[in-house]
Amino acid sequence: MISKHRSMVRVMTSVAICTTAGVLIAAQPTTDTHRFTEIRNGIYLAQSTDPVFNSNAVVIVNDDDVVLIDSHVTPSKARDLIASVKTLTSNPISALINSHHHWDHAHGNQEFTDIPIIGHEFTYMKMAAAPLDEATYTRGLAGNDTRLAEMRAQVAATSDTAERATLQADLDLFAAHVRDFDEISPVPPTVTMNDRMTLYRGSREIQIRFLGRAHTGGDLAVYFPDDRVVFTGDMALNGPSYLGDGFVDEWPQTLENLKALDFDVLVPGHGNAVTDLNRIDLVQAYYRDLWQKTAAKHRSGVTVENASRTIDLTNHTEIPIRQVGVAPLTVQRIYDRLEHPD
Ligand SMILES: [Zn+2]
């Protein structure tokens, strides 16, 4: 069946026909702000073309509508996404799914108040409370300030005119992005779910699945059974995820539940599509080992700082882990889980 959307795709730059590890990339339409990679059958990975930090989004072009997954890092980036989607199809955006509550995936939500926003009840709870006070977010803001200061210092330090112009352009781009944060007014999901919800849109079945706690308490995977594709947000990337809000003890089992789905392409919340599904096994082994080694330090009364310097995971060569040590934030989170399991 030839879907209606296919005739509407406007390819603004190149059309690449290539095979990467079994994934046929039919087209990569690009706008001023986004590159779309068609994973399969109207399921597009949407990535920013500028270098500032952002999450992936997914654009699902159905027979008569469009469903989006994740709303990007700021309202400004969300507006760019909406404008770019219009170059792919004239079908209206009918729903947004939040993979989880983190700011880089959900702080564009306020641009979607005219359609249902679907999220886990945990995501609602986090976003309806005080999302701008969440430690993960305030650390993100602090990171922006640090990066701005570094970039300003680099501009000041160079005497090369051409290099200065390049660095200043990068600084201007990043400073504008940081100003975009002022506009953020978080909007929680308007439709919540626990374990499972299915959207039937034209000929497409979209399964929204909670597979257990992992990167947060409410990670949703979006599974396309007919196309054997799954979008995992940050619960499964090509390697370990940010662990500051994570449930490292439960995460390997959640990934086991993910592996029980029938798919051969994993679309993560950051980075490119993954077809080497052995990466999931490597990350499971890493989390199990990280949990055990950190718990051993905790049992021995080792401080977070010392544990952070000495936990050795360099046996995970394929991740790859090359240096001894784990981020203090990760150790602190695991210590907190050990002391307050819930
Ligand atoms: Zn996240």
Side-chain angles (χ1 to χ4, degrees):
M1 180 193 140
I2 298 173
S3 304
K4 195 164 85 181
H5 77 269
R6 288 187 178 279
S7 61
M8 296 178 175
V9 170
R10 183 154 63 95
V11 179
M12 298 184 71
T13 57
S14 63
V15 174
I17 306 291
C18 60
T19 305
T20 307
V23 183
L24 182 68
I25 298 171
Q28 287 193 303
T30 304
T31 69
D32 287 345
T33 60
H34 280 81
R35 181 178 58 256
F36 295 106
T37 301
E38 186 171 14
I39 304 297
R40 263 176 205 155
N41 189 29
I43 304 165
Y44 292 86
L45 167 60
Q47 295 171 301
S48 280
T49 52
D50 72 36
V52 302
F53 180 65
N54 198 357
S55 64
N56 289 341
V58 172
V59 181
I60 310 161
V61 183
N62 303 314
D63 294 342
D64 300 309
D65 71 338
V66 172
V67 174
L68 294 184
I69 315 173
D70 284 353
S71 63
H72 282 338
V73 62
T74 57
S76 170
K77 294 291 186 206
R79 290 193 294 272
D80 291 343
L81 176 63
I82 293 167
S84 292
V85 167
K86 288 182 178 151
T87 71
L88 281 179
T89 176
S90 58
N91 291 358
I93 300 171
S94 68
L96 167 69
I97 302 166
N98 284 151
S99 67
H100 63 298
H101 73 278
H102 279 161
W103 54 282
D104 50 324
H105 297 258
H107 279 185
N109 276 11
Q110 69 202 63
E111 299 300 318
F112 299 94
T113 51
D114 54 337
I115 57 171
I117 302 176
I118 301 166
H120 193 272
E121 286 193 358
F122 181 89
T123 299
Y124 176 86
M125 185 264 289
K126 283 289 189 183
M127 296 196 70
L132 300 183
D133 296 333
E134 285 275 319
T136 293
Y137 180 63
T138 57
R139 267 195 297 271
L141 291 183
N144 282 349
D145 291 343
T146 303
R147 183 76 191 120
L148 270 182
E150 286 169 358
M151 293 175 89
R152 287 192 182 110
Q154 284 171 345
V155 170
T158 184
S159 52
D160 183 291
T161 310
E163 187 184 22
R164 177 183 288 246
T166 303
L167 291 171
Q168 184 66 49
D170 290 347
L171 170 59
D172 291 346
L173 182 72
F174 189 68
H177 174 59
V178 171
R179 281 195 299 276
D180 287 342
F181 281 63
D182 294 342
E183 197 190 346
I184 292 170
S185 176
V187 169
T190 54
V191 178
T192 64
M193 54 172 280
N194 274 313
D195 291 340
R196 184 165 178 162
M197 175 186 288
T198 304
L199 305 180
Y200 296 96
R201 300 295 167 107
S203 57
R204 195 190 305 281
E205 178 177 341
I206 304 169
Q207 293 185 11
I208 311 171
R209 307 280 290 261
F210 175 68
L211 301 167
R213 299 195 294 188
H215 175 68
T216 71
D219 303 293
L220 297 179
V222 181
Y223 176 49
F224 305 90
D226 297 336
D227 294 303
R228 306 185 69 224
V229 171
V230 67
F231 174 74
T232 52
D234 291 356
M235 66 173 278
L237 305 176
N238 192 43
S241 302
Y242 170 79
L243 302 172
D245 292 332
F247 296 79
V248 177
D249 46 335
E250 299 174 17
W251 205 325
Q253 181 58 50
T254 302
L255 291 175
E256 204 61 31
N257 299 341
L258 172 70
K259 281 159 45 177
L261 302 177
D262 178 27
F263 64 94
D264 59 10
V265 185
L266 182 158
V267 183
H270 297 274
N272 295 329
V274 177
T275 53
D276 175 10
L277 301 183
N278 181 52
R279 298 297 301 174
I280 303 172
D281 301 70
L282 296 176
V283 172
Q284 282 177 300
Y286 172 82
Y287 289 154
R288 286 195 186 100
D289 203 17
L290 168 65
W291 178 265
Q292 286 164 8
K293 285 172 175 168
T294 308
K297 297 284 186 191
H298 185 262
R299 274 195 303 277
S300 304
V302 179
T303 63
V304 168
E305 291 71 23
N306 280 339
S308 156
R309 276 196 297 274
T310 55
I311 294 171
D312 186 354
L313 292 158
T314 55
N315 51 314
H316 297 271
T317 52
E318 290 181 81
I319 289 287
I321 305 296
R322 298 204 170 90
Q323 288 184 326
V324 174
V326 174
L329 181 67
T330 298
V331 176
Q332 184 65 60
R333 172 67 181 168
I334 293 176
Y335 275 28
D336 288 346
R337 290 279 307 140
L338 286 162
E339 289 161 20
H340 309 284
D342 58 358

